[in-house]
């Protein structure tokens, strides 16, 4: 027997026997789940950590917006990175889980943190009102992470407690129906525990913006019902948000996508980014580090050519959709200029440059670039990767249009007009009841599809709408999508969901891959 091997074997045996007592000793300074959760301060730190997942790469720093955006007919990608290029073409494979796998892992990281809060905070002796708010936020965040998992991946695992033993380590795969039921359960509990605002609460969280509120929980609860075609239940939640009386549309549409008016009256929930918070390192994910910043990589990823990477761009079809209807004053819809950089007659500025003179190449001059969430009025370009613009993931305009959709689907088409018109009036569009009176439910569905496309272009809603409306299974609608965005030519049934990362299948017995992969 090799002498080196013998020595190693003997050393290992000594560690396993003679030092057994030492190995059983615990480091009194080491934090564990059992020792950390002692005080109200610990409870707040714990729920704060559950928010952190939102700002890492797998969350809204970069990956989540890409997964939500790239498959809509309002977005195209000619990125040199195959994962971005193939995402919108439904051509991802299970051997490479960059971007979608990062998001998958991030969501479960968030679920794990929320689960710890829900497991340990109830046992802490602390102010009951503060405790309720902490638990409400944990339910909201877990519901939000599960929402993304079910919405993007379909049949996923639903761990609802911290792992306590080997027997609990593997979580079985659930159906999408079970997933939505869990999302609804979590958001219901959140809506019962959360305050309308933190302005008038008593406690260390008083006046803190960015935390989940009752309106945010009700809004996402309504979306979960809407996505499962429970229109009556969804309408109840959206009406409850409206009746809170604390939300309204911002007069200036563009204020929803810059740092000028973050956490404004139109925003029900937004992911908080800042160039001034934390360190200077990018928050790619993994074990949290003290040098992490709290900045977004969206602006450079979506940035126009010469100012960012231009990995995604608006489609020509969505540009043309903006031109379908003029405002009451006979002008183009102002949301076009707030959404897209283009060679506008009369001129357009981007990052202090004139579009028509900066782009000397005819291909660039006639191209379209993303403007939402870009720092074009405050920075020279986006190449420092450090955008501080908050991601508004639920706006009041969405509540109004989703409520109108619920009214239409429950036989109240005439009542839907007023809620649609509030969104249209903000940008000066004429009265829909005058231009298109007495629409049928089917006509109203098409109108709402048009309204939602223009209002939420580049905000990650379009493909969700396409899928839940059943357009991918409708031969006529699918043909229209292919004309609007040739990336749909490679769509295959089942690929409306992203693949389950292969590493999850390899390590979790019984987990099956999504159909179509």
């Amino acid at each position: 027997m090799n002498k080196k091997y013998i020595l190693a074997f003997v050393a290992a045996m000594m560690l396993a026997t003679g030092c057994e007592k030492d190995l059983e000793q615990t480091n009194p300074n080491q934090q564990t789940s059992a020792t950390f959760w002692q005080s109200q301060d610990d409870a707040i730190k714990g729920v704060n950590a559950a928010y952190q997942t939102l700002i890492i790469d797998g969350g809204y720093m970069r990956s989540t917006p890409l997964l939500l955006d790239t498959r809509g007919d309002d977005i195209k990608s000619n990125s040199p990175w195959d994962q971005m290029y193939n995402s919108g073409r439904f051509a991802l494979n299970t051997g490479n889980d960059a971007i979608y796998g990062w998001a998958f892992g991030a969501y479960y990281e968030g679920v794990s943190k929320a689960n710890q809060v829900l497991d340990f905070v109830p046992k802490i002796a602390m102010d009951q009102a503060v405790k309720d708010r902490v638990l409400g936020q944990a339910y909201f965040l877990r519901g939000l992470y599960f929402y993304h998992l079910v919405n993007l991946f379909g049949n996923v695992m639903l761990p609802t407690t911290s792992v306590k033993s080997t027997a609990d380590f593997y979580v079985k795969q659930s159906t999408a129906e079970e997933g939505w039921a869990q999302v609804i359960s979590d958001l219901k509990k959140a809506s019962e525990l959360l305050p309308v605002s933190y302005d008038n609460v008593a406690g260390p969280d008083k006046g803190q913006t960015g935390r989940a509120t009752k309106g945010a929980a009700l809004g996402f609860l309504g979306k979960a019902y809407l996505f499962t075609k429970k229109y009556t239940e969804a309408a109840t939640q959206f009406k409850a948000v409206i009746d809170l009386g604390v939300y309204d549309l911002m007069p200036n549409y563009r204020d929803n996508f810059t740092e000028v008016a973050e956490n404004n009256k139109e925003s029900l929930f937004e992911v908080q980014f800042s160039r001034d918070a934390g360190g200077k390192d990018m928050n790619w994910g993994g074990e949290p580090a003290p040098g992490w910043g709290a900045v977004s990589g969206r602006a450079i990823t979506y940035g126009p050519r010469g100012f960012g990477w231009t990995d995604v761009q608006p489609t020509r079809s969505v540009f043309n959709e903006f031109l379908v209807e003029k405002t009451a004053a006979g002008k183009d819809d102002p949301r076009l200029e707030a959404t897209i950089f283009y060679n506008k007659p009369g001129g357009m500025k981007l990052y202090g440059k004139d579009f028509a003179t900066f782009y000397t190449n005819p291909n660039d001059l006639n191209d379209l670039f993303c403007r939402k969430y870009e720092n074009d009025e405050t920075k020279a370009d986006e190449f420092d990767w450090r955008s501080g613009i908050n991601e508004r993931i639920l706006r009041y305009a969405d509540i109004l249009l989703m409520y109108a959709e619920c009214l239409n689907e429950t036989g109240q088409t005439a009542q839907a007009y007023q809620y649609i018109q509030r969104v249209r009036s903000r940008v000066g569009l004429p009265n829909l009841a005058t231009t298109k009176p007495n629409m049928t439910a089917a006509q109203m569905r098409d109108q709402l599809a048009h309204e939602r496309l223009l209002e939420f272009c580049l905000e990650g809603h379009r493909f969700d709408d396409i899928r839940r409306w059943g357009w991918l299974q409708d031969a006529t609608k699918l043909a229209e999508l292919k004309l609007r965005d040739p990336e749909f030519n490679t769509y295959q049934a089942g690929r409306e969901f992203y693949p389950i990362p292969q590493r999850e299948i390899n390590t979790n017995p019984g987990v099956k891959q999504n159909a179509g992969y």
Side-chain angles (χ1 to χ4, degrees):
M1 186 180 282
N2 183 285
K3 190 173 181 182
K4 242 183 227 181
Y5 179 85
I6 294 171
L7 290 173
F9 179 79
V10 171
M13 287 301 292
M14 288 175 65
L15 285 170
T17 55
C19 300
E20 186 174 348
K21 237 179 186 182
D22 290 336
L23 289 174
E24 289 176 356
Q25 293 179 354
T26 59
N27 180 351
N29 298 315
Q30 182 178 353
Q31 288 277 10
T32 67
S33 294
T35 61
F36 172 76
W37 305 92
Q38 302 296 323
S39 68
Q40 179 169 286
D41 186 52
D42 297 332
I44 291 174
K45 286 178 180 175
V47 79
N48 288 351
Y51 280 96
Q52 188 180 48
T53 300
L54 294 171
I55 67 169
I56 63 175
D57 189 11
Y60 276 88
M61 181 267 206
R62 185 177 58 159
S63 296
T64 295
L66 285 168
L67 296 181
L68 293 170
D69 269 329
T70 50
R71 293 187 164 187
D73 59 342
D74 55 338
I75 288 283
K76 65 177 183 179
S77 176
N78 289 312
S79 173
W81 189 1
D82 58 347
Q83 287 298 94
M84 289 192 197
Y85 180 87
N86 287 326
S87 179
R89 291 169 173 77
F90 308 91
L92 293 171
N93 63 66
T94 58
N96 180 358
D97 70 358
I99 304 179
Y100 76 84
W102 302 340
F104 186 90
Y107 303 147
Y108 279 113
E109 176 186 314
V111 167
S112 175
K113 291 176 179 178
N115 279 341
Q116 289 188 58
V117 175
L118 295 170
D119 281 343
F120 294 104
V121 168
K123 303 168 189 174
I124 297 176
M126 57 185 285
D127 180 272
Q128 187 60 47
V130 176
K131 179 184 285 189
D132 286 346
R133 294 197 293 273
V134 167
L135 294 174
Q137 290 170 81
Y139 278 120
F140 173 82
L141 290 167
R142 189 173 73 178
L144 180 62
Y145 294 131
F146 278 148
Y147 167 93
H148 283 312
L149 283 162
V150 177
N151 187 41
L152 294 173
F153 297 93
N155 302 325
V156 295
M157 291 59 67
L158 302 170
T160 54
T161 185
S162 302
V163 174
K164 294 180 175 63
S165 69
T166 305
D168 297 328
F169 189 77
Y170 295 112
V171 181
K172 73 178 183 68
Q173 190 174 23
S174 298
T175 65
E177 290 75 20
E178 291 170 328
W180 283 118
Q182 183 61 52
V183 171
I184 288 168
S185 174
D186 281 348
L187 293 173
K188 271 185 179 177
K189 291 173 183 174
S191 69
E192 293 163 0
L193 292 168
L194 289 172
V196 174
S197 166
Y198 290 81
D199 289 343
N200 299 314
V201 303
D205 52 352
K206 179 179 174 61
Q208 294 185 348
T209 56
R211 293 189 181 276
T213 62
K214 181 182 291 289
L218 289 170
F220 275 105
L221 177 58
K223 288 192 77 164
Y225 280 129
L226 182 65
F227 281 26
T228 51
K229 301 188 184 306
K230 297 176 180 177
Y231 298 110
T232 300
E233 293 90 338
T236 299
Q237 311 311 316
F238 298 140
K239 187 63 165 59
V241 173
I242 294 169
D243 289 345
L244 288 175
V246 298
Y247 301 106
D248 202 355
L249 301 179
M250 291 293 287
N252 183 0
Y253 175 76
R254 183 159 160 70
D255 278 348
N256 290 303
F257 316 106
T258 69
E259 286 188 275
V260 171
E262 293 181 333
N263 301 300
N264 61 52
K265 63 183 178 181
E266 187 168 343
S267 183
L268 277 75
F269 190 71
E270 54 193 78
V271 179
Q272 307 292 310
F273 291 109
S274 173
R275 289 170 58 86
D276 302 321
K280 299 297 182 183
D281 298 336
M282 295 301 293
N283 40 337
W284 297 117
E287 199 68 28
W292 275 10
V295 293
S296 169
R298 175 199 255 269
I300 186 173
T301 305
Y302 288 57
R305 195 167 293 117
F307 304 97
W309 298 135
T310 324
D311 285 310
V312 295
Q313 295 176 256
T315 57
R316 181 61 60 175
S317 64
V318 76
F319 176 85
N320 291 336
E321 190 100 7
F322 276 107
L323 303 178
V324 167
E325 186 179 16
K326 296 288 187 181
T327 67
K331 297 180 179 180
D332 288 340
D333 188 325
R335 292 175 296 189
L336 172 58
E337 186 172 346
T339 303
I340 299 175
F341 287 121
Y342 65 104
N343 188 14
K344 180 184 176 183
M348 174 179 273
K349 292 281 188 182
L350 72 170
Y351 298 88
K353 309 290 185 182
D354 181 67
F355 190 106
T357 56
F358 180 81
Y359 291 119
T360 56
N361 183 311
N363 290 332
D364 291 339
L365 188 61
N366 295 311
D367 214 344
L368 305 172
F369 305 105
C370 301
R371 190 181 186 196
K372 276 183 181 176
Y373 292 111
E374 297 296 319
N375 297 279
D376 61 287
E377 294 171 344
T378 58
K379 294 173 64 178
D381 57 54
E382 303 290 352
F383 291 117
D384 65 353
W385 278 91
R386 297 177 58 78
S387 175
I389 300 175
N390 288 358
E391 188 90 12
R392 282 76 155 179
I393 64 175
L394 185 58
R395 295 196 283 116
Y396 190 56
D398 200 6
I399 299 295
L400 294 173
L401 291 184
M402 289 189 293
Y403 185 51
E405 183 175 344
C406 291
L407 292 173
N408 186 54
E409 296 299 332
T410 53
Q412 302 172 78
T413 302
Q415 286 72 37
Y417 276 92
Q418 61 182 305
Y419 297 99
I420 299 171
Q421 191 56 43
R422 289 183 63 180
V423 177
R424 289 170 57 86
S425 293
R426 190 241 302 263
V427 291
L429 292 178
N431 191 338
L432 190 64
T434 302
T435 58
K436 293 186 176 182
N438 304 316
M439 279 189 279
T440 65
Q443 290 170 331
M444 182 61 86
R445 285 189 199 106
D446 287 340
Q447 184 66 34
L448 277 163
H450 168 77
E451 302 288 349
R452 290 186 61 80
L453 176 58
L454 301 191
E455 179 68 20
F456 305 117
C457 179
L458 308 183
E459 293 183 55
H461 296 311
R462 180 61 173 179
F463 186 72
D464 283 350
D465 289 345
I466 286 169
R467 184 179 57 202
R468 68 187 178 83
W469 289 332
W471 286 9
L472 297 171
Q473 291 74 43
D474 183 320
T476 300
K477 289 292 188 184
L478 183 56
E480 290 176 5
L481 288 171
K482 290 177 179 179
L483 287 174
R484 292 175 57 85
D485 181 359
E487 291 178 329
F488 279 88
N489 285 323
T490 46
Y491 165 73
Q492 299 176 45
R495 293 205 168 193
E496 55 267 33
F497 293 108
Y498 285 97
I500 303 292
Q502 188 61 41
R503 55 193 161 130
E504 181 67 27
I505 294 172
N506 293 342
T507 57
N508 193 345
V511 174
K512 295 181 180 179
Q513 186 56 268
N514 284 331
Y517 293 98

